[in-house]
Amino acid sequence: MASFLEFKNISKGYPGVQALSDISFAVEKGAVHGLMGENGAGKSTLIRILSGDQSADTGEISLDGSVQHYSSARDAFDAGVIVIHQELQLVAELTVAENLWLGRFPAKAGMIDFKKLVSDVSQKLEAIGIDVDPRIKVANLSIGQRQMVEIAKAVMLDARVIALDEPTSSLSSRESEILFALIGKLKAQGKIILYISHRLDEVFRLCDSLTVLRDGKLAAHHASLAKVTRDQVITEMVGREISNIWGWRARKIGTERLKVEKLGGRLLPNPVSFDVRSGEIFGFFGLIGAGRSEMARLLYGADHRHTGTVTIDGVAVGGNNPRHSIEAGMVLCPEDRKFDGIIQGRSIEENIAVSSRRHFSPLGILQPGKEARLADRFIEKLRIRTPSRKQDIVNLSGGNQQKVILGRWLSEQGVKVLVIDEPTRGIDVGAKAEIYNILYELAENGMAIIVISSELPEVMGISDRIAVMCQGRIAAVYDRDAFDERKILAAALPDRSAAAVA
Amino acid sequence: MSVSLKKLLLGEQGLVVIFALAFIVVAVFVPNFLTERNMLGLLQSVVTIGIVACTMMFCLASRDFDLSVGSTVAFCGMIAVMASNATGSILLGLIAALLCGALVGLVNGVVIARFRINALITTLATMQIVRGLALISSDGRAVGINDPNFYQLALSKFLGIPAPIWVMLVLFIAFGFILNRTVFGKNTLAIGGNPEASRLAGVNVVSMRVWIFALQGFVCAIAGILLASRITSGQPNAATGLELSVISACVLGGVSLAGGRAAMAGVIVGVLIMGIAENVMNLLNIQAFYQYVVRGLILLLAVLLDNLRSGAVGRRG
Amino acid sequence: MSVSLKKLLLGEQGLVVIFALAFIVVAVFVPNFLTERNMLGLLQSVVTIGIVACTMMFCLASRDFDLSVGSTVAFCGMIAVMASNATGSILLGLIAALLCGALVGLVNGVVIARFRINALITTLATMQIVRGLALISSDGRAVGINDPNFYQLALSKFLGIPAPIWVMLVLFIAFGFILNRTVFGKNTLAIGGNPEASRLAGVNVVSMRVWIFALQGFVCAIAGILLASRITSGQPNAATGLELSVISACVLGGVSLAGGRAAMAGVIVGVLIMGIAENVMNLLNIQAFYQYVVRGLILLLAVLLDNLRSGAVGRRG
Amino acid sequence: DVKIGFIVKQPEEPWFQDEWKFADVAAKEKGFTLVKIGAEDGEKVQSAIDNLGAQGAQGFIICTPDVKLGPGIVAKATANELKMMTVDDRLVGADGKPLEDVPHMGISASKIGEAVGQAMVDEIKKRGWDMKTVGAIRVSYDQLPTAVDRVEGALSALKAAGFPQANIFDAPQAKTDTEAALNAATVVLNKNAGIKHWVAVGLNDESVLGAVRATESVGIPADGVIGIGIGGAESAINEFKKPTPTGFFGTVIISPKRHGYETALNMYDWIANGKQPAKLTLTAGQLALRDNYAEVRKELGIE
Ligand SMILES: Nc1ncnc2c1ncn2[C@@H]1O[C@H](COP(=O)(O)OP(=O)(O)OP(=O)(O)O)[C@@H](O)[C@H]1O
Ligand SMILES: Nc1ncnc2c1ncn2[C@@H]1O[C@H](COP(=O)(O)OP(=O)(O)OP(=O)(O)O)[C@@H](O)[C@H]1O
Ligand SMILES: [Mg+2]
Ligand SMILES: [Mg+2]
C-alpha cells in the first residue's frame, strides 16, 4: 500500500534552538503511528507544522502523494488534517458544543443553527462515551474533562489525518480506555493517526509503527513494533538505559506531619479528612472530576475554604492565602501549568526563583548571581532542554515548562509538606525517574509528600499509601502492601446510580 | 433577603434588575424625570454613545480597543455636511460619510490585525490623525448645512419618537442578534476568549478583527451623521472624549476588557446608566464641580454592585 | 544591511538604537535643536510625563491601568500650594501634597485589588472625583503662591541643570533599579505575566497592587508639586489628558499592556520621543492642525519600527 | 414661578463660574430659579435644552460651544417653547451671518484682542523699544475659533502700529493650560535666542502666563517682557500680587457681572413681564495693570 502521509526532510529552527533537522518518514493509511522522544525533542513542533500553525524552514509534507502548501490552520482543516494540541485549546467562555464547532459552526446565511449545534454534539459525545453536558461552559469543567472535550474534536470533522499530542497526560485509565476505543474505531475507518505520548504502555498497545526523535533528529523508525522492546525504545530516546523507572525504596516513616480535618469548599461539598506522616509519600488517585485538584487547592489556600482546619506539626495553617501556607512550610505544584504555573514572558531563571528568592534577597535587593546558579542547578538536575536560562518560558516545550515549575518548588527551602498535582504530566521517561528520585530523597529527609496523579501505575509505583477519591469524597485508603489495581479502580468508579452528574 | 430575591439580584441578569430598581427609585423621587418629554430627551442624549457602544462591544469582546471613535464621529459628521454641500445631494453626502467611516475603521483594523500593532497606540494615533484631518478640512471651524432637509434626519418622527432614537433601537436589536445568533458574533467572543485556540480552530482571526474595526468605523459614521443633523452643522471638535464614555458604558454593562464576555442587554443598561446620571444631575441642579464627584461615585457604585454579583457566582479560571 | 548592523537594530535594545539614529538625524537637520537651551527646554517639557511614567510602567507591567494620574497631579499641586499658604510652611505643604497623592493612589489600589473592581472604571471614576475635589477646593480658580521660595523648587539649578530635571533623572534611576534589581520589581513583572501563578507562588498579589497604586499616587504628587512651582500657582485644570500621554510613552517604550514586560530604558526613550516630536514640530513651525496628524504618524511609526524588531525576534505567546 | 436655564460651554472656567455667580444674584433678587448646566459640545447643548424643557423652564441664556450651532439651538428652543438669549458668543446661521433675532449680549473676540494689542503698542512705545527688535509670541490654540479671533485681533493692532510680521512666532499649545503654553513658548524662545525683548499674546490669562514662565526659565528679565492676558481672573490677580513685578504686564478684564447679572435679569423681565430684551448689547473690556487692577475690578463690579 502506498504511503498516505509523508514528511520529507523537514527542518525547523528557532533562535538558539534547532527544533527539527531533516526529518523524513511516512505513515500508511489505517495505521496508528507513534511519535516518541524526550521533552524538547521536537514532537510538538512537527505536529504544529502538520497543522499549518507553523511552517517548516525546509522540507514538505505530502498527503496521498500530493504536496501540501497550506499556510494556516484553516488550510490544514480543508486538507483533512485535524490536530489536538498538547496545550488545551478551548475557549473557556463558550459552551462545550460551541467549542467543538468553533471554526465551522452549522449556519444558514451566517445564522447559527443552535438546535443542530447541540444535538449533533450530544450524539457524538454519547457515541464515544464522554459524559459531559454540551450546554455548559468550558470554564466550569475540570482539566480532565476539558481534555476529553478536546479529544472529542477529533471526531467532529471527517478528517483524513488525526494527530494527538499527549492526549492522555491528565486522564486516568478509565478515560484513556474511552480514547483507545475511539482510536480503534477511527483506525478501522481507514484514518491515519499520529499519536504522541510519553507512556510506553499506551504506545505499545495502540501503535502499529513508531518514530523516535532525539534532539530534533530522527533517532529511529520502526515500521512494525513486533520485534521492538521497551528498553530498546527508551535507549533510543534517552541515549541510556533506565532499568526501573519507579525505583521505590523503603524508608523510615515518622510521626504525623500534616493533619487535615473536614476540609471543604465550593467544589468540594463533602469535607475530607486525612493525615500524612513525615517521610511518607501519600498518593491520591481518582477519575477525572473526582475533586483531587480542588482538595489540593483548598489545602493550600488557593481557593476559599468553607470548612476545615489544616495543621502542620501541630500548628494551624491559615487559609485563603498561599503565602501563609508557604511560610508554614507547605507548597503546591499546581496541575494546570498554563494558567497556574508558568509566568508568561519571563525567563526560566525568574520562573524558578520567583518564590525562593526571598531567602537570599536581603532588604528585597536581588543577588542575580545566586539566582543564576540556582537556575543552572535545576536546568541540569531536571534535564531542562533550553539554549539558556534567560529563555522566555513560553518558548519551552510543554514538558520542559513542567520541569521548570517543579524546579520552582523543589528550590524552596524549609518545606515540610509538598503537594504535587500531576507531577509528571507530559514529562519524558528519563526525567520521570529523575523526579521520583528527588521525591524519595526529600521524603527521606522527613518531608511529607502528597502526590496527585491520574496515572495509576505511577501512584502505585511511588506511594506509600493511596487515597482514592470519588465524587468529592475519599472512598478508600490503602497501604502499600494492600495495593491492588482492580480494587483501587473499583473504589474510584462512581456508584452507577449516583453517576448522573458530569 | 429571601433566597429567591437574592438569586434574582445576583443572577445573570443582576445588573438589569438592579438598574430597574434604581430607575424606579429615580422616577419616584426626582421631579420631572418620568415625563414623556424628559424620557425622549434622555434617549436622544444617549444616541451617540448608544450607537457607538454597539460595535465597541464587539471590539472589546474580541480583546481590542478603539480610542478613535470620537474623532471618527466628528470627522464623518463633517464629511456628511461638506459632501452634501458640495454635491447638493444629501444622499451622496451620507454615502461619502459612511464610506469614510468604514475606511477609517478599515485602516485601524489592518494596522492592528495585520501588522500586529498595539490597538491602544494605533487608535490613539488615528484618533489624532482623524481629528487633525477634520480640523484641516474645515480650517477648525464648524461647517453649516446648506440644505435644511438635512435637519430632517434628526427631526422627523415616527410614532412620536424621533428618528435618531429609532436608529439606535434598531442597531441595539441588530447587534444583539449578531452577537448571540450569528457565526460572526460567536467568533468574536471566541477570539476574545482565546485568540490562539480560535486561530487553531480555523477562525480567520485577522480578517475578523479587520471586519470588526471596519464595522465600528461605519457605525461611527452613522452616529456622526445623526449628530451633525441634530446640531445642524459639522463640527470638527465634536464628540471629544466620547471614547472613554463609550468604553465605560460597555464595561459597566459587563463587557470584559480581557475579552470573551459581552451582552447587549448589559451594554444598553450601561449606556442608560451614563445617560440617566447626567440627566438626573441636571434635573436636580447639582453644581458643576460636584457633578464630577457624583459621576465618579455612580460609576464606582455601579461596578461595585455588579461585582458583588459576579463575586457571588464565583469562578476559578 | 550588514548582519551585525541588523542585529544591533533588531536586538533587545533596538528601540534605543533607532531612537539614537533618529536623534542624530533631527539634530543635523533641524536648526536650533541641538542647543543647550533647547535641550534643557526639551527636558523640562517632559518632566511631568517622565516622572509619572516611572510608576505607570509598574502599573502597566502588573496588568493594571491608571487613568487618574492627570487629576492627581493637578489635585496634589493645588494641595501643595493651598497647604503652604495656609500653614506658612512650604515643607508642610509638600508633605500634605505627598500624603494626599499617596492616599488617592491607596484608594485606587484598595478598590481595584481588594474589591476586585475593573481598573479602567475605578481610575476613570477617581479621575473624575479627584478633578472634582480639585475644582471644589479652589472654587475652580487658580491659587497663587504666597511664599516666593516655592518657585525655587523649579528654578534652582545644580551644575547648570534645573532641579525638576534632576528629580526626573533620579526617579528614572531609582525606578530602573527597583524594576530590575529588587524583589518588588520582579514580583511586579511576575504578576503581570500571570497573576494567578504568582499568587500561587506566594506573591502577595493584592498588597503588591495596592502598593503600586500608592506609589503611583505619591509620584504624581511629586510631579504636581514641581508643576505648581513651574507655573507658580496651583491650577485645578492642569494636566488634563496626561494619562494618555503617559500610557503612550510607556507602550512606545515597550511596556506591554498585557503585563509582564517593561524596561526603564524603553520608557525613557518613549518619553523622549513624545517630547522631541512636540519640540521639533514647534521648531519647524508646523501648523497646529497638521501637528495632530504628524503626532499620530510618529506614534504609528515608532511602534511599527519596534514591531518589525520584535517580529524578527519572534515569540510563541 | 419662573425657571431660567443658564448654559455655558466650559463650566470649569472661572469666567463662567463668575457669570453663574452673578446670575445667581439676580435670581435671588427676583426670586426665580436658575438652572446651571455645562455643555461642552453640540450634543450636550441639545440634551441640556431638552432637559430644561422637561423640567418646565420658560427660557434660557446660553454661551454656545460653537456659534455655528445656531440653527440647531434655535430649533431646539422653539421645539421646547423656550425663550432664549445668547451671551459672550453670538450665534450665526449656515451662511455665517449672525442670527439677528436672538437677543445677544457680549463682546466680540476680535475687539478684546485689539484692546490687548493696543495696550501692547502703547507699552512698547513707553519702554522705548524698537519694534524691529521685539519678538511676539503667539500662543495659539487654533481649533477654538474664539481663540483665533482674540489672538488675531491683538496681532492686527500690533501690525497696524508697524510691528513686523516676521517677528511674530507661533507657539501652538497642545492643550489650553499653562504647562502646554509654557512648553510651546520655550521652543520659540530657544529658537530665537538673539531677541531680547518679547511680547506675548494668547487666548486667556493662562496661556500668556505660560509664555511669561517660559521667558523666566530662559533667563529673560521681567522688564524685557510684556505679556497681556485676557480674562482677569485669579491666575492674573495672583500674578499681580507677587512681591516683584513679572513679565505679566496686564490683563484685559471683561466683566462677568453684566454678562451674568444683566442677562439673567433681562430674561426674567421677558418671561415675567413680557419685556423683550435689546437685540444686541455690546460690552467693553478694560485693561488692568499691576497697580490698578483692584480699582478696575471694583469699577466693573466684580469685587
Ligand atoms: N517559539 C519558540 N521559540 C524558541 N524555541 C522554541 C519555540 N518553540 C519550540 N521551541 C523549542 O523547540 C524544541 C522542540 O520543542 P517541542 O515543543 O517540539 O518539543 P516536544 O518534543 O513536544 O517536547 P515535550 O515532550 O516536552 O512536549 C524545544 O527545545 C523548544 O524549546
Ligand atoms: N471552575 C470551575 N467551576 C465549576 N466547577 C468546576 C470548576 N473546576 C472544576 N469544577 C468541577 O469540580 C469538580 C472537581 O474538579 P477537580 O479539578 O478537583 O477534579 P480532579 O479530581 O482533579 O480531576 P481532573 O483529573 O479532571 O483534574 C469537577 O466535577 C469539575 O466539574
Ligand atoms: Mg510537546
Ligand atoms: Mg486534577
Side-chain angles (χ1 to χ4, degrees), chain A residues 142-144 170 287-294 335-336 421-422 452-454, chain B residues 316:
Chain A
S142 76
I143 292 283
S170 54
L287 303 180
I288 63 171
R292 295 158 299 163
S293 301
E294 186 54 23
E335 95 180 306
D336 187 342
D421 200 350
E422 310 284 1
I452 299 173
S453 174
S454 298
Chain B
R316 198 197 263 175

Side-chain angles (χ1 to χ4, degrees), chain A residues 80-387:
Chain A
V81 175
I82 189 159
V83 172
I84 307 303
H85 291 274
Q86 180 173 14
E87 298 298 340
L88 298 176
Q89 299 293 355
L90 297 170
V91 183
E93 295 294 335
L94 297 186
T95 63
V96 171
E98 286 165 353
N99 264 289
L100 290 176
W101 280 115
L102 186 59
R104 41 181 193 282
F105 286 116
K108 257 201 217 99
M111 274 172 274
I112 299 177
D113 181 350
F114 280 95
K115 266 219 197 85
K116 182 168 158 56
L117 186 82
V118 175
S119 66
D120 269 29
V121 169
S122 302
Q123 263 172 27
K124 287 246 162 76
L125 289 183
E126 204 157 308
I128 53 182
I130 297 176
D131 183 19
V132 182
D133 181 350
R135 278 160 306 190
I136 61 172
K137 286 197 174 160
V138 166
N140 295 329
L141 298 181
S142 76
I143 292 283
Q145 290 166 322
R146 293 183 195 195
Q147 184 118 37
M148 292 306 282
V149 173
E150 187 79 57
I151 286 169
K153 274 188 188 169
V155 290
M156 289 310 292
L157 191 84
D158 190 28
R160 295 192 281 177
V161 178
I162 296 167
L164 302 157
D165 195 349
E166 300 193 30
T168 54
S169 64
S170 54
L171 297 187
S172 74
S173 50
R174 188 177 76 126
E175 292 82 26
S176 299
E177 288 304 331
I178 296 176
L179 174 66
F180 300 158
L182 180 65
I183 290 176
K185 256 188 252 170
L186 293 169
K187 184 175 156 180
Q189 289 166 16
K191 315 253 180 218
I192 172 161
I193 294 160
L194 268 178
Y195 188 85
I196 299 180
S197 176
H198 289 292
R199 298 184 184 174
L200 277 163
D201 299 346
E202 288 174 3
V203 171
F204 274 85
R205 190 180 140 183
L206 282 176
C207 298
D208 305 301
S209 48
L210 175 71
T211 297
V212 179
L213 298 182
R214 198 160 111 207
D215 287 341
K217 298 185 194 68
L218 193 77
H221 182 78
H222 304 284
S224 148
L225 284 179
K227 286 187 216 76
V228 185
T229 66
R230 296 175 185 216
D231 288 341
Q232 185 187 346
V233 172
I234 292 177
T235 314
E236 284 162 359
M237 272 168 56
V238 189
R240 66 199 152 91
E241 272 183 58
I242 293 172
S243 46
N244 173 7
I245 60 163
W246 310 124
W248 186 84
R249 42 192 198 239
R251 74 192 91 82
K252 221 175 70 225
I253 305 231
T255 52
E256 181 184 282
R257 261 229 117 131
L258 171 75
K259 187 165 181 62
V260 178
E261 275 174 305
K262 297 212 164 41
L263 186 66
R266 193 173 61 87
L267 297 177
L268 197 70
N270 311 301
V272 297
S273 306
F274 60 92
D275 48 48
V276 188
R277 285 166 288 167
S278 84
E280 185 180 33
I281 297 182
F282 190 34
F284 271 83
F285 179 75
L287 303 180
I288 63 171
R292 295 158 299 163
S293 301
E294 186 54 23
M295 181 278 300
R297 290 178 62 92
L298 290 170
L299 178 61
Y300 185 55
D303 286 342
H304 183 73
R305 276 181 211 158
H306 287 183
T307 60
T309 53
V310 174
T311 51
I312 295 176
D313 289 343
V315 183
V317 183
N320 303 337
N321 189 345
R323 175 137 213 154
H324 299 321
S325 305
I326 295 177
E327 273 156 11
M330 171 163 60
V331 299
L332 165 72
C333 183
E335 95 180 306
D336 187 342
R337 69 170 163 254
K338 185 148 173 219
F339 289 101
D340 298 336
I342 64 170
I343 295 171
Q344 287 91 347
R346 308 311 304 167
S347 65
I348 295 176
E349 177 182 333
E350 282 178 48
N351 266 282
I352 290 182
V354 61
S355 169
S356 56
R357 64 161 61 103
R358 68 202 152 90
H359 298 294
F360 47 79
S361 302
L363 299 172
I365 294 172
L366 302 182
Q367 299 194 297
K370 286 218 171 128
E371 294 191 10
R373 277 196 297 280
L374 185 76
D376 285 339
R377 202 171 88 222
F378 281 97
I379 287 174
E380 198 197 301
K381 200 163 172 180
L382 298 173
R383 309 157 61 87
I384 298 173
R385 197 176 120 91
T386 172

Side-chain angles (χ1 to χ4, degrees), chain B residues 75-89:
Chain B
F75 180 61
C76 293
M78 299 276 308
I79 294 285
V81 174
M82 293 198 303
S84 299
N85 286 354
T87 60
S89 150

Side-chain angles (χ1 to χ4, degrees), chain C residues 53 81 100 106 109 116 134 152 154 166 194 200 203 214 216 232 265 277 292 311:
Chain C
V81 174
C100 279
L106 202 67
R116 294 150 163 271
Q152 289 308 316
W166 282 113
N194 189 340
L200 293 180
V203 175
Q216 170 94 286
T232 71
Y292 276 93

